[in-house]
Amino acid sequence: MQTVMPYTVSLNGADNVGKTTQIGLFPSNIDIGKVGGLHQTTETKIGELHRQGRLQEWWWESPTEDFVCSIVHALTRRYCDSVTTAHSDVPEVVVFDRGAAMFEAVLIAVIATKSPGHDLASARAVLQAILDEHCLQLPKERLAILLTHGKNLEQSIDISLDREEDCVDDRYRRYQ
């Protein structure tokens, strides 16, 4: 039986920009696989931490190397589970709520936020060193779409933070 690979698309953007909402608006009569967040992946550390209610604490308190490896493992698992199948009922298109570019940005932002003295450039270098050391790659979608709130980065961040239901602390503000 031949393996079928669907066309992969990701919706990316700041928190509260509407990625999940837009995925939910796709017509149901079109054969689209809709894939949610990493916390929904099975048999991954991220999924287990979410089920235990410890994901947010781990997100900020875990060692950087463990954080990167766990996120990349869950991202790869989510991608592979969604696009590789030998069955004829695979959708023609798979749409991810956040893609590889988004998670790369998340990893860099978290590294910079967790590590005093790291700017985005040094955080990017730390990420690349960990990926190289563990022979990891982020699975890429064929099309990545960036959703934004406003006309510039600052406006988008302000809108994102205004839409946040939970209390926004200084660490989350820096992360955004």
Side-chain angles (χ1 to χ4, degrees), residues 52-126:
Q52 295 172 359
R54 298 183 321 125
L55 183 58
Q56 185 174 6
E57 173 190 343
W58 173 85
W59 189 271
W60 294 113
E61 303 304 325
S62 62
T64 299
E65 188 170 344
D66 180 43
F67 179 78
V68 169
C69 291
S70 298
I71 293 290
V72 174
H73 175 254
L75 183 63
T76 303
R77 177 69 182 252
R78 180 185 76 156
Y79 185 88
C80 290
D81 286 352
S82 302
V83 302
T84 57
T85 182
H87 304 293
S88 60
D89 60 350
V90 67
E92 292 180 32
V93 177
V94 172
V95 181
F96 293 98
D97 186 335
R98 297 172 185 84
M102 181 75 197
F103 279 104
E104 181 178 10
V106 164
L107 290 167
I108 292 167
V110 170
I111 291 168
T113 302
K114 287 168 81 166
S115 307
H118 277 303
D119 60 10
L120 294 179
S122 64
R124 184 182 307 276
V126 168

Side-chain angles (χ1 to χ4, degrees), residues 143-158:
L143 175 63
I145 299 170
L146 178 63
L147 304 177
T148 62
H149 288 297
K151 296 180 181 186
N152 60 47
L153 179 61
E154 291 77 21
Q155 188 180 42
S156 290
I157 291 170
D158 287 344

